[in-house]
Amino acid sequence: MSRSLLILPDDSAQPILDAIHAAVKSLHIKMFVFSDPELLKAVVAAQHRGVKVRVMLNPARRSGETENEESRKILSAGNVEVMDSNPEFDLTHEKSMIVDDKTAFVYSLNWETKNLQESRDYAIVTDHAHEVDEIKACFDADWNRKHIDLGDQAHLVWCKGNARNRIAQLIDGAKHTLFVQNERFQDPIIIEHLVRAKMRGVKIHVMAKPPHTLKEEKLVEGVGGLRIMDDVGIKIHRLKHLKLHAKMLLADGARAIIGSINLTPGSFDSRRELAIEVSDPHVIERLQKIVHHDWENSCPLDLSDEGLLKDLKDRRDTEAIGLCDHK
């Protein structure tokens, strides 16, 4: 049994395409946004060669914006079974794939071209049977609109469920270093745990999205969390040349959590999300290298009022991949 790490955009979509092409019996895909033409083509081709394919798509964002309608038409035309995600949740932000009930992918990335080519994202590939079986059980429950209680003994990290506790435990267990890459820092409980870690001497590196990419109604909340961390001396940076879409925590270069979970109350309390905790040495070694590389290729976020106003003037640059302004 093994786990492996995919890093985007470095590894490209090829490992995902290879897994789809290699499927013999079944593919179970749960995705927030699915629009990449090559992946759509590969999934339809799998159905045509006799693989039983089931795809669950989030129907709309909270704003009402729909992004999967055209993909649904393409998949349905290819005789792929497609269903909206479970209405028990405000939305389904989980991104996962199970191949032949033997291998599972747990993603931070959506299956859209910009996530594959322009964003820092990760996926963990696992063939540990207890992890694959747990993802499959959740898929089947959501597909059949049945409630599933994964409980505190779940192997994986789930929302709604054990995610806030598992992430807090990882933070609390850090003794020396903590690298965190996430789009959103808005959950007060997680922010408190990060502040307490800093106060007991953990060296924390936070990488976040630039505030001007937040929705206007989320700006104060989002910046507030970053400012609290900044006030206690936590270093907060943004990537220079890639969009940050990853959701990753790495503690002491030994344990990591990777998946779909933004650090917000909505993610923890009302969405379907999935992440996985790993400590495999070869996975951690590669992750350690990339987070240091990203930190070296980042710059401090200016969270002053002046800095925020300057950033807001550039709101049209929503991808935020341009040059950084150093203090």
Side-chain angles (χ1 to χ4, degrees), residues 2 18 29 34 48-49 76 90 92 97 116 137 151 155 167 181-184 187 214 221 226 243 274 281 284 326:
S2 65
D18 289 346
I29 298 162
F34 184 1
H48 287 173
R49 68 173 184 268
S76 296
D90 285 353
T92 290
M97 177 174 71
L116 296 162
H155 300 289
I167 290 173
Q181 294 180 336
N182 205 283
E183 289 185 282
R184 304 282 183 260
D187 187 75
L214 289 168
E221 181 184 3
L226 295 173
K243 176 184 176 183
L274 171 62
I284 296 299
H326 292 273

Side-chain angles (χ1 to χ4, degrees), residues 22-59:
V24 175
K25 294 192 270 187
S26 63
L27 283 171
H28 295 85
I29 298 162
K30 195 186 292 185
M31 197 58 54
F32 181 60
V33 179
F34 184 1
S35 59
D36 181 74
E38 289 300 311
L39 288 168
L40 282 166
K41 181 180 176 182
V43 169
V44 170
Q47 177 69 32
H48 287 173
R49 68 173 184 268
V51 177
K52 181 177 175 57
V53 182
R54 295 195 294 176
V55 177
M56 208 178 314
L57 299 175
N58 185 70

Side-chain angles (χ1 to χ4, degrees), residues 118-316:
E118 301 172 9
S119 300
R120 170 64 72 228
D121 264 307
Y122 303 105
I124 294 291
V125 188
T126 178
D127 62 7
H128 287 243
H130 59 282
E131 294 170 345
V132 177
D133 290 348
E134 194 168 288
I135 298 170
K136 178 63 163 46
C138 184
F139 185 98
D140 288 341
D142 286 349
W143 185 271
N144 294 307
R145 306 304 196 236
K146 293 182 178 179
H147 178 76
I148 182 171
D149 184 1
L150 296 159
D152 292 336
Q153 301 306 310
H155 300 289
L156 300 171
V157 183
W158 293 97
C159 302
K160 299 183 290 186
N162 63 353
R164 188 183 273 112
N165 286 339
R166 288 284 295 273
I167 290 173
Q169 287 168 8
L170 184 83
I171 295 168
D172 292 348
K175 294 179 173 59
H176 306 292
T177 61
L178 188 63
F179 282 86
V180 187
Q181 294 180 336
N182 205 283
E183 289 185 282
R184 304 282 183 260
F185 292 83
Q186 296 166 356
D187 187 75
I189 296 173
I190 296 302
I191 291 169
E192 178 188 358
H193 282 271
L194 288 168
V195 168
R196 288 180 178 274
K198 171 63 179 176
M199 301 307 288
R200 68 173 184 271
V202 178
K203 188 175 182 180
I204 302 177
H205 298 78
V206 164
M207 195 165 287
K209 284 183 75 173
H212 79 250
T213 65
L214 289 168
K215 294 178 182 177
E216 189 171 349
E217 65 272 18
K218 291 291 185 181
L219 185 60
V220 173
E221 181 184 3
V223 172
L226 295 173
R227 280 177 162 177
I228 288 169
M229 294 188 291
D230 185 58
D231 285 345
V232 299
I234 294 174
K235 294 181 179 180
I236 302 171
H237 280 209
R238 74 183 209 180
L239 271 172
K240 286 184 182 179
H241 304 298
L242 287 173
K243 176 184 176 183
L244 180 70
H245 188 258
K247 300 92 169 63
M248 183 281 304
L249 299 94
L250 174 63
D252 295 330
R255 298 164 59 212
I257 291 177
I258 290 172
S260 69
I261 304 169
N262 285 311
L263 302 179
T264 69
S267 294
F268 289 122
D269 298 330
S270 62
R271 299 182 179 187
R272 170 66 83 206
E273 305 268 13
L274 171 62
I276 184 170
E277 183 171 340
V278 294
S279 56
D280 312 65
H282 62 287
V283 171
I284 296 299
E285 180 181 3
R286 190 168 185 225
L287 190 60
Q288 182 91 325
K289 288 179 181 177
I290 201 69
V291 297
H292 281 283
H293 171 272
D294 284 352
W295 193 257
E296 290 168 3
N297 290 277
S298 68
C299 59
L301 270 175
D302 185 350
L303 297 170
S304 67
D305 287 348
E306 294 78 13
L308 293 174
L309 288 171
K310 183 178 183 300
D311 228 10
L312 285 169
K313 289 179 182 178
D314 205 22
R315 180 178 287 273
R316 285 176 297 178

